[in-house]
Amino acid sequence: AQSVAQPEDQVNVAEGNPLTVKCTYSVSGNPYLFWYVQYPNRGLQFLLKYITGDNLVKGSYGFEAEFNKSQTSFHLKKPSALVSDSALYFCAVRQGYGGSQGNLIFGKGTKLSVKP
Amino acid sequence: GAVVSQHPSRVICKSGTSVKIECRSLDFQATTMFWYRQFPKKSLMLMATSNEGSKATYEQGVEKDKFLINHASLTLSTLTVTSAHPEDSSFYICSAITWDRREYGYTFGSGTRLTVV
């Protein structure tokens, strides 16, 4: 069964410093991987995804993620953190494979706190 | 891009009453809608998958008679929490699969905070 793991409950970063939010996955077949951000009492906003192609994926708001097949990881990164990046971040993998239109399976979430 | 409009954003109801949550796809046809529940400081747990014109598929442990899902059209899916109890208080989010310029993805509603008193 597909699963994702986010090993950190919280990541603290100073504004202007680079940030990394970790994600590892377990899938059968080729993974469809996603990152979403959630602000309090709001839905999820899409940041980026990897389905195929270049391992380095660039997304919204300056975020990027690198798909690493050998390490089964898909860490989210940003070169310079902003206070406004403080939120809850979810890594997700699509359930199913091939042509199936499966739901997303989410990691437990990582709270990012960026201090001025 | 594709937008899913979810209403209401917040609702407070009394124990024993029913509450309906609506999710509308505004500029695309959502043949499949996923309903998630999120507990405080927790991840999203899939409750059920609804497909237009057919019965919803519920995840193990989710009471289908309590969480009624209707997906009668390609642009509207509803979740009705029947005979609500305080333990049903939670954040509910819907999500639809989207195809945007042959790009596959998921778009989410803004969520509904349900409080049962």
Side-chain angles (χ1 to χ4, degrees):
Chain A
Q2 277 86 338
S3 65
V4 289
Q6 292 180 245
E8 304 152 317
D9 289 336
Q10 181 154 345
V11 170
N12 298 311
V13 177
E15 187 175 32
N17 283 1
L19 69 87
T20 299
V21 183
K22 295 180 180 177
C23 173
T24 58
Y25 64 89
S26 174
V27 301
S28 51
N30 295 321
Y32 282 34
L33 295 160
F34 299 78
W35 274 102
Y36 288 87
V37 60
Q38 185 182 35
Y39 294 94
N41 289 310
R42 301 298 300 274
L44 274 65
Q45 296 179 29
F46 171 75
L47 287 178
L48 50 80
K49 66 183 176 187
Y50 173 84
I51 295 178
T52 187
D54 290 341
N55 290 343
L56 183 62
V57 180
K58 293 188 182 295
S60 306
Y61 313 119
F63 285 93
E64 60 186 31
E66 185 166 10
F67 171 65
N68 188 318
K69 189 172 184 178
S70 62
Q71 296 185 3
T72 62
S73 67
F74 190 56
H75 302 330
L76 181 71
K77 299 184 178 186
K78 187 173 182 180
S80 179
L82 300 173
V83 173
S84 57
D85 292 329
S86 299
L88 189 57
Y89 289 79
F90 288 100
C91 182
V93 65
R94 189 187 75 165
Q95 175 83 303
Y97 54 91
S100 71
Q101 295 190 339
N103 60 284
L104 289 176
I105 297 171
F106 290 88
K108 64 180 181 179
T110 299
K111 182 179 179 182
L112 174 66
S113 178
V114 182
K115 293 292 196 299
Chain B
V3 175
V4 171
S5 176
Q6 183 171 348
H7 293 280
S9 57
R10 289 178 180 271
V11 59
I12 301 173
C13 71
K14 291 185 177 180
S15 248
T17 62
S18 295
V19 173
K20 180 184 282 188
I21 301 169
E22 292 188 350
C23 279
R24 294 181 183 273
S25 55
L26 296 187
D27 47 6
F28 68 102
Q29 293 180 332
T31 55
T32 301
M33 192 77 78
F34 303 105
W35 286 93
Y36 293 89
R37 180 173 179 175
Q38 185 179 27
F39 292 97
K41 299 183 181 180
K42 297 288 186 182
S43 187
L44 283 77
M45 302 300 295
L46 180 69
M47 298 175 65
T49 302
S50 73
N51 292 294
E52 185 267 336
S54 62
K55 290 185 178 180
T57 302
Y58 289 82
E59 296 299 299
Q60 191 173 5
V62 177
E63 297 177 61
K64 62 180 181 180
D65 294 331
K66 180 164 190 62
F67 298 100
L68 299 179
I69 290 172
N70 184 283
H71 196 154
S73 78
L74 287 171
T75 58
L76 176 63
S77 179
T78 62
L79 167 67
T80 301
V81 183
T82 64
S83 186
H85 287 102
E87 57 265 31
D88 298 326
S89 298
S90 194
F91 194 61
Y92 295 87
I93 307 176
C94 60
S95 173
I97 293 173
T98 59
W99 285 95
D100 183 17
R101 282 171 279 183
R102 304 202 306 181
E103 284 281 311
Y104 175 94
Y106 298 80
T107 191
F108 288 80
S110 54
T112 297
R113 171 70 61 192
L114 170 63
T115 303
V116 184
V117 297

